């Protein structure tokens, strides 16, 4: 739990710094806030299934999801498909893992 809080705090402080820099150089801060919210949404949902933060980060970055075009969660989020990943994780939580 402490590791998760530290990771989120570190991420939040990095995002705040990045957000301020981007806002100053072009007003893209809102897009960064949305992207961070999507990443955190996926990571929080994944952590409901796997409480080990290291395993969640590894899964997010490296494990290809067959049902979602064999892409990693990270790739999917970068493509704007965070909702698909969360829906996939919710299906796993409910005991249903099916191809879309």
């Amino acid at each position: 739990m402490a590791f998760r809080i530290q990771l989120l705090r570190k991420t939040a402080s990095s995002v705040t710094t990045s957000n301020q820099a981007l806002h100053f150089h072009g007003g893209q801060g809102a897009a960064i806030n949305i992207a961070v919210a999507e990443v955190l949404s996926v990571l929080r949902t994944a952590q409901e299934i796997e409480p080990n933060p290291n395993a969640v980060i590894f899964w997010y970055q490296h494990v290809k999801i067959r049902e979602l075009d064999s892409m990693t969660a990270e790739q999917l989020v970068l493509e704007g498909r965070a909702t698909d990943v969360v829906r996939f994780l919710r299906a796993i939580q409910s005991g249903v893992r099916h191809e879309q």
Side-chain angles (χ1 to χ4, degrees):
M1 176 86 161
F3 175 77
R4 180 175 10 146
I5 292 169
Q6 289 172 350
L7 176 63
L8 291 175
R9 283 183 184 156
K10 182 176 179 182
T11 302
S13 80
S14 297
V15 169
T16 301
T17 302
S18 299
N19 187 16
Q20 290 168 348
L22 284 172
H23 184 68
F24 181 75
H25 295 291
Q28 297 176 356
I32 294 297
N33 285 338
I34 291 167
V36 169
E38 290 175 345
V39 169
L40 290 176
S41 174
V42 169
L43 292 175
R44 283 185 195 118
T45 305
Q47 196 157 31
E48 292 173 14
I49 297 167
E50 171 54 65
N52 180 330
N54 293 327
V56 169
I57 296 298
F58 180 86
W59 169 83
Y60 179 80
Q61 295 176 330
H62 301 288
V63 176
K64 294 180 180 182
I65 304 168
R66 182 186 68 244
E67 294 88 342
L68 297 175
D69 302 324
S70 294
M71 298 172 71
T72 66
E74 182 175 41
Q75 291 169 323
L76 291 158
V77 170
L78 288 171
E79 285 197 355
R81 296 179 60 191
T83 302
D84 293 342
V85 179
V86 170
R87 190 177 306 120
F88 168 78
L89 292 168
R90 294 284 181 224
I92 289 174
Q93 281 181 312
S94 67
V96 179
R97 183 173 181 171
H98 59 285
E99 299 201 26
Q100 293 187 347

